[in-house]
Amino acid sequence: MTAQTSAPADPTGPARSKIDETLRAILRDVLGLSDERAAELTPDSGLFGHLPELDSQAVADLLTEMEDRFDIIIEDDEVDGDHLETYGGLLALAEAKTASN
Amino acid sequence: MTTPFQFVEWPCPAADGETRSEAALVFNRAREARLLVIPPLFEEANKLRRQIVEIMRRLDDAGIDSVLPDLPGCNESRALLAQQTLEGWRAGAAAAAEHFGATHVLSVRGGALLRPAGLPGWDYAPQDGPKILRAMVRARIISTKEAGAPETREEIEATGRSEGVQLAGWSIGPALFATLESAEVPARGDGVTMIDHETLGGRPLWLRAEPDFDAAQADALAATISVAMRDVR
């Protein structure tokens, strides 16, 4: 779907590019982005607090969808503002959770 | 061109044994095939409203009447949301089915929790109570943290059970909160089948941060329903 650079397989979990790809697909659905626009998200792309439509309910739904797609449980105290503020933060959360799963 | 649907009133059972008038959006040409649509709960009802009406427009073109009732405390209702219960909504859905002479039922997302027994139909992407609450409580955790007065899930749940709680702007009373915590989608007997999102394809509209519409998904769902309801027409 998106133009990802191929990352080496991570022995502790799915290859990073796969997590990255799935997370971009979730954000594409949540924010109503085109595939091209979703592919352009960078680690610095602002999310919660930067996009007016991304309110607390939308973020909560986003985290719940991540739990479903990655088959993980995200505890409430594991989520802090840094995870939600940028795409890079959210990706770090997804990577950490899938690696520890 | 005239609007093919109307808003009508229907008698909805109230907690005091009386009935109160609620609104419903209906496509009614007194046809044999009549579908009751039970909307999702809370924010998803808003997000999916247009999509549901688009599905109903397609069914109208296919010769099927349909009705989308307001649940008490929702949309144009004058009842207080905080006083509503799952049982009350279930009674309302059953009364709407009776009043409009529904031959089939389509529940959407959390609407499956309210589906009356005894009607054939579909649960579209059903969602159970714990899942609905989990995301809504999480929304409150995120917003209270953002506001600098963080609350834990345990605190929010305890308040929800004892006095009710406002989650993402929705006032949920203690009875509704407590029943949602364990509310499961009713068993699919009586010719009720599940339509999962993958069957329709496209992007799940309940994930969108803002209300959206997808013609291809509406076409696919309406086609499934109209083919199955062909025998009634």
Side-chain angles (χ1 to χ4, degrees):
Chain A
M1 175 202 81
T2 54
Q4 299 297 316
T5 52
S6 59
D10 179 349
T12 60
R16 172 179 173 141
S17 62
K18 179 68 186 160
I19 296 171
D20 193 3
E21 206 170 280
T22 303
L23 191 58
R24 282 173 198 272
I26 295 172
L27 279 165
R28 182 198 64 188
D29 292 355
V30 169
L31 298 172
L33 305 176
S34 64
D35 288 342
E36 294 72 30
R37 187 68 195 81
E40 287 166 9
L41 289 169
T42 69
D44 295 331
S45 295
L47 298 177
F48 189 47
H50 298 268
L51 302 172
E53 69 270 37
L54 209 54
D55 58 13
S56 60
Q57 178 71 65
V59 170
D61 291 341
L62 168 65
L63 291 171
T64 306
E65 183 68 10
M66 285 170 63
E67 291 182 323
D68 284 353
R69 299 253 198 123
F70 293 119
D71 194 23
I72 55 176
I73 298 289
I74 302 171
E75 302 297 340
D76 301 312
D77 57 9
E78 291 174 326
V79 182
D80 62 36
D82 291 345
H83 286 132
L84 304 178
E85 202 190 331
T86 62
Y87 180 71
L90 202 61
L91 181 59
L93 176 67
E95 288 176 338
K97 290 302 299 183
T98 47
S100 66
N101 191 27
Chain B
M1 185 186 147
T2 56
T3 306
F5 60 79
Q6 294 176 306
F7 289 97
V8 300
E9 293 182 66
W10 60 286
C12 180
D16 55 10
E18 302 288 305
T19 60
R20 63 187 306 153
S21 182
E22 296 293 356
L25 187 160
V26 297
F27 289 80
N28 189 1
R29 301 177 204 258
R31 291 171 287 198
E32 295 291 317
R34 305 177 67 76
L35 181 73
L36 169 71
V37 184
I38 306 178
L41 308 185
F42 312 117
E43 185 58 26
E44 288 192 358
N46 293 336
K47 285 189 186 179
L48 292 170
R49 175 92 179 178
R50 177 169 175 203
Q51 184 72 6
I52 288 170
V53 176
E54 290 289 342
I55 292 162
M56 293 168 72
R57 285 179 191 274
R58 285 156 174 74
L59 293 173
D60 179 49
D61 290 341
I64 295 167
D65 282 355
S66 59
V67 52
L68 176 64
D70 276 0
L71 297 168
C74 305
N75 294 343
E76 271 64 66
S77 175
R78 300 184 75 181
L80 289 176
L81 175 61
Q83 292 175 358
Q84 303 313 308
T85 61
L86 215 53
E87 291 77 13
W89 280 345
R90 284 183 181 130
E98 177 83 26
H99 180 77
F100 292 102
T103 58
H104 292 71
V105 58
L106 167 68
S107 77
V108 182
R109 300 284 287 163
L113 300 174
L114 315 179
R115 172 166 47 76
L119 281 180
W122 302 267
D123 287 339
Y124 171 45
Q127 201 185 26
D128 63 22
K131 201 139 195 179
I132 294 170
L133 271 189
R134 179 169 170 78
M136 291 178 79
V137 170
R138 175 174 262 161
R140 184 171 172 114
I141 293 169
I142 291 168
S143 63
T144 55
K145 189 185 261 186
E146 188 70 8
E151 296 172 344
T152 66
R153 179 170 292 273
E154 290 69 29
E155 288 166 349
I156 295 168
E157 287 174 349
T159 307
R161 287 174 206 132
S162 61
E163 58 196 74
V165 67
Q166 198 171 84
L167 300 177
W170 302 89
S171 296
I172 299 180
L176 180 55
F177 189 95
T179 43
L180 277 175
E181 284 192 299
S182 59
E184 294 179 9
V185 175
R188 277 182 281 276
D190 304 320
V192 178
T193 52
M194 181 173 80
I195 301 175
D196 60 20
H197 182 72
E198 288 68 31
T199 310
L200 303 185
R203 305 174 181 190
L205 291 169
W206 52 86
L207 268 187
R208 281 285 283 122
E210 292 176 329
D212 205 350
F213 157 67
D214 185 318
Q217 287 182 43
D219 289 346
L221 191 53
T224 301
I225 291 169
S226 62
V227 166
M229 289 179 73
R230 184 173 288 158
D231 293 344
V232 187
R233 280 169 281 163

